[in-house]
Amino acid sequence: MRRIEQGYSLLTTLLVVTVFFLLGLTIIAVSLQHARFATVRVDDVQSLHKAKTEVNEAVADLKAELSDPNFFTSHHIFSPNEWDHFLGLDSSNPGDKTMAGRLLERYGVMVKDESDQYQIDKQQVFLRVLRLEKSFDDGHRTRTVARRVFVTNTPSFLKYALGSNRAVVLNGGVYIEKGDVYAGETGYASNATTYVSRTNELKIENYDSGMPRFSDSSVWYLNGAFQACGQKKSCWTADETQARFQMTNQWESSWPGGTTEPPPSFQPSNEDFVDVDFELTVADKLLQAAGFSPSSPEYIAEVEAVQEAADKTEALHQLANKLKDRFNELNGNDPLEIIKQKKDKPLYVNGGINLIGDVDIQTDKGVNQWLIVNGPLKLNGPQNNFINIHGNFIVFGDLRITGKVRLDASVYVTGKTEIYQSRIERADKGVVLLSKGKLDLARINEFDNPRGEANLKGYFYTDSSATIYAVGSYLSIDGGLFARGNGDPAPDTDIYGLVVNAFRGRVEGSNGEPSGFVPNPNVASSRLVVRYRPEVLVEQGTGLPFVNRLSLVVDRLEVR
């Protein structure tokens, strides 16, 4: 029995040793496999990081090259064709003296022209849409890092969701879903909301309207101080004698404690701000509408005359009168019917005009034609159905938009602009509206509840100051708002710059006034939502304002 038991013991021992040996081999194999996977994973991450870095460096290189204020003359670029040759877009094998060739040689980054996808007239404008991309191997397949870049000679205000060269005041629960905010001077934020009643009484709402909310990728660029107030009704006082809201002494230099909204990311702006020259831009649009090439002696002489005039607005009036023989002049009792018949050339009205109904100033090729109004313009939509506005406008006077409208236009206004008691729906291309005078947006889509989709598409700019009310109103904007801050203070305030009032939550109406305020901390309940959209830079084409400098608008980095 002992010999048999000894045999079993030997077998058991050998079996246990074998099992442990196999377990050891398995552990070693697994460890080696994990080490190999870890090495591959590190290599993948490093390859991805390297590709991202090289694409970003290529973007920075392109940006530095275009930052020269005398870029066009330094490189002898006077036409869009010469511009494409400099970029290297006119060849499938760009040389090393072109930007595309240089970026490929330095960083291995390919430059692809996507301008045709946006129907850009490359013979008429310098705007280009480029895709900078770099491929890398992640160990399993080849992937691509890419950034879309808009190269444009448009002013800096078109780069921001909200902004001003002076102060930016964000009262209440505005939500910056995408894009950045720019304040050339002081930035202000509060959980207060102010509005003006139909009887012109100044109102300060008691409810907590929410603090402004920014997306994780959004930045508030500040060149001055920051002030905030979390005291609701104590942030502002209403001075009825002067008909304006004024700040109290409750503002402090830090984000209010006890608020559910986190403070935004603040950074100083390190870029030169490229301003729009309103009068020269309008002169350019008038002359190009009349058929003058920017390189012609006539064009240069007329632009210089406007630039040197003591009263530039009057000089623009005189230029419009001088050019009217090149336009189809409207007269008669039915201007809309005449507009339908005479769109082969720009249209001209000597005096104010009130347009009720659809306004279609597109050519047979679907390109927006110009309507020059030598006086104030009113666009009045009816209450029972929406009107569609297609075209480009130059207005020598004030502009007022009311009723139900869909805007697909570029609009230049030498006076003030008011959009009031309107119901606005998103149009295909949207609107780019520039006003020399004050901008006032109020009572738009009143008492609609937030529904997560844009009802207005475009950019709104004033050379002066602006006040936006989204208390009873509901505005969801794909685009942006900017007030340069010259001239008069913002409507109903003593602030020079942009003033925004927005409630976050549900609001009911009673006798045409906001009531039944129900605050909601969810950003989806904000009654003013702004999403920056660089696509507007290409969709309005020749109607966009321009400057004699190039800049980049860079979209988000993609990994595919």
Side-chain angles (χ1 to χ4, degrees):
M1 287 295 291
R2 287 181 179 177
R3 289 180 181 177
I4 294 174
E5 290 175 355
Q6 288 175 351
Y8 282 131
S9 297
L10 178 61
L11 288 174
T12 302
T13 301
L14 289 173
L15 180 62
V16 170
V17 169
T18 301
V19 169
F20 276 105
F21 179 72
L22 291 174
L23 285 173
L25 288 176
T26 302
I27 291 170
I28 292 172
V30 170
S31 298
L32 290 173
Q33 186 77 356
H34 282 174
R36 186 167 65 84
F37 284 157
T39 301
V40 171
R41 180 60 182 157
V42 169
D43 289 343
D44 291 349
V45 172
Q46 289 177 341
S47 297
L48 172 60
H49 177 71
K50 186 172 184 291
K52 285 182 176 181
T53 299
E54 288 171 332
V55 168
N56 287 333
E57 286 178 349
V59 171
D61 195 336
L62 178 60
K63 183 177 182 179
E65 182 67 37
L66 303 180
S67 63
D68 179 4
N70 301 312
F71 173 82
F72 287 111
T73 54
S74 298
H75 294 279
H76 304 286
I77 297 173
F78 303 104
S79 71
N81 287 335
E82 292 169 327
W83 172 226
D84 283 336
H85 181 68
F86 172 84
L87 290 171
L89 305 181
D90 57 352
S91 171
S92 58
N93 186 24
D96 57 5
K97 295 188 184 295
T98 68
M99 281 305 304
R102 192 169 80 182
L103 298 181
L104 180 62
E105 182 180 353
R106 288 186 178 181
Y107 311 103
V109 171
M110 297 285 293
V111 178
K112 296 184 177 180
D113 184 12
E114 296 189 344
S115 305
D116 290 340
Q117 296 181 22
Y118 294 88
Q119 299 178 329
I120 295 172
D121 188 347
K122 294 169 64 175
Q123 299 299 314
Q124 297 293 324
V125 296
F126 285 85
L127 176 64
R128 297 293 181 267
V129 182
L130 309 178
R131 181 173 291 274
L132 277 63
E133 60 182 34
K134 175 74 181 278
S135 297
F136 70 98
D137 193 343
D138 71 354
H140 301 284
R141 64 189 189 280
T142 300
R143 301 178 69 190
T144 301
V145 173
R147 294 200 87 154
R148 186 177 53 170
V149 176
F150 296 82
V151 186
T152 174
N153 59 333
T154 52
S156 294
F157 81 85
L158 288 169
K159 297 182 181 181
Y160 299 100
L162 295 172
S164 172
N165 282 14
R166 302 286 298 274
V168 172
V169 182
L170 303 183
N171 286 324
V174 57
Y175 176 38
I176 312 301
E177 185 176 314
K178 181 182 178 183
D180 301 322
V181 174
Y182 175 86
E185 295 179 357
T186 308
Y188 300 89
S190 80
N191 61 352
T193 301
T194 68
Y195 65 96
V196 182
S197 73
R198 289 181 183 271
T199 58
N200 292 322
E201 184 180 355
L202 304 181
K203 298 281 189 178
I204 302 171
E205 187 47 54
N206 284 311
Y207 291 99
D208 186 342
S209 300
M211 291 292 292
R213 186 68 182 267
F214 289 67
S215 71
D216 293 339
S217 62
S218 298
V219 175
W220 192 337
Y221 290 99
L222 273 173
N223 287 339
F226 174 73
Q227 294 282 303
C229 178
Q231 303 298 318
K232 296 179 288 187
K233 196 174 179 65
S234 299
C235 297
W236 295 85
T237 59
D239 186 340
E240 294 287 356
T241 60
Q242 299 190 42
R244 65 185 184 187
F245 296 102
Q246 294 179 310
M247 288 182 174
T248 66
N249 59 0
Q250 299 297 317
W251 296 72
E252 300 178 348
S253 58
S254 60
W255 195 260
T259 59
T260 58
E261 299 86 356
S265 172
F266 295 104
Q267 290 184 25
S269 176
N270 297 319
E271 293 188 13
D272 289 338
F273 193 91
V274 181
D275 254 327
V276 59
D277 190 314
F278 185 87
E279 286 83 7
L280 292 188
T281 299
V282 174
D284 167 76
K285 302 308 177 189
L286 278 171
L287 289 162
Q288 291 207 49
F292 289 102
S293 167
S295 59
S296 67
E298 296 88 350
Y299 174 97
I300 295 171
E302 294 295 352
V303 166
E304 288 179 347
V306 172
Q307 191 170 16
E308 295 170 1
D311 187 340
K312 291 182 172 60
T313 301
E314 179 57 31
L316 288 173
H317 271 280
Q318 294 175 8
L319 179 58
N321 276 320
K322 186 176 181 179
L323 298 174
K324 68 180 182 181
D325 290 341
R326 292 174 174 262
F327 308 142
N328 283 330
E329 188 165 0
L330 298 185
N331 49 48
N333 297 321
D334 194 353
L336 288 178
E337 192 60 36
I338 298 172
I339 287 172
K340 293 178 183 178
Q341 300 169 6
K342 294 186 176 183
K343 292 183 289 187
D344 57 313
K345 293 195 297 185
L347 301 148
Y348 177 81
V349 179
N350 191 16
I353 188 171
N354 186 10
L355 297 178
I356 302 174
D358 290 343
V359 183
D360 185 356
I361 321 176
Q362 287 186 326
T363 66
D364 294 338
K365 296 181 179 180
V367 177
N368 280 354
Q369 186 58 280
W370 290 92
L371 171 61
I372 296 100
V373 181
N374 203 0
L377 171 64
K378 293 181 180 180
L379 296 173
N380 296 324
Q383 297 302 315
N384 55 351
N385 65 285
F386 281 87
I387 64 170
N388 298 289
I389 311 294
H390 297 284
N392 295 331
F393 300 81
I394 296 175
V395 182
F396 292 101
D398 296 338
L399 171 67
R400 182 179 173 90
I401 300 175
T402 61
K404 294 185 175 182
V405 293
R406 298 186 186 97
L407 293 169
D408 178 1
S410 292
V411 188
Y412 294 83
V413 184
T414 64
K416 63 183 179 182
T417 298
E418 185 179 43
I419 304 179
Y420 186 73
Q421 288 188 337
S422 297
R423 299 198 68 78
I424 294 180
E425 280 191 357
R426 176 190 175 109
D428 180 28
K429 293 182 179 180
V431 60
V432 175
L433 190 152
L434 286 84
S435 180
K436 180 69 175 176
K438 292 193 289 188
L439 176 65
D440 193 356
L441 275 65
R443 298 189 177 274
I444 301 173
N445 303 316
E446 275 193 303
F447 313 125
D448 285 359
N449 286 315
R451 54 185 182 275
E453 59 185 32
N455 54 22
L456 186 57
K457 179 180 175 183
Y459 283 85
F460 296 83
Y461 168 92
T462 170
D463 218 44
S464 182
S465 298
T467 299
I468 315 301
Y469 289 105
V471 184
S473 301
Y474 170 57
L475 277 170
S476 181
I477 301 174
D478 277 357
L481 298 158
F482 197 94
R484 187 175 182 183
N486 291 341
D488 297 325
D492 312 317
T493 74
D494 53 6
I495 304 294
Y496 289 85
L498 176 66
V499 179
V500 171
N501 293 279
F503 185 77
R504 183 180 294 128
R506 183 166 54 86
V507 178
E508 297 175 355
S510 176
N511 297 320
E513 298 290 359
S515 65
F517 290 87
V518 182
N520 190 330
N522 190 338
V523 293
S525 299
S526 294
R527 304 190 69 82
L528 175 59
V529 179
V530 186
R531 304 173 196 85
Y532 176 76
R533 288 190 75 253
E535 290 83 357
V536 176
L537 294 173
V538 300
E539 290 169 339
Q540 284 299 332
T542 57
L544 286 174
F546 82 103
V547 292
N548 288 317
R549 290 180 60 180
L550 288 164
S551 60
L552 296 187
V553 177
V554 183
D555 213 348
R556 294 177 179 177
L557 189 139
E558 302 174 359
V559 180
R560 296 179 295 178

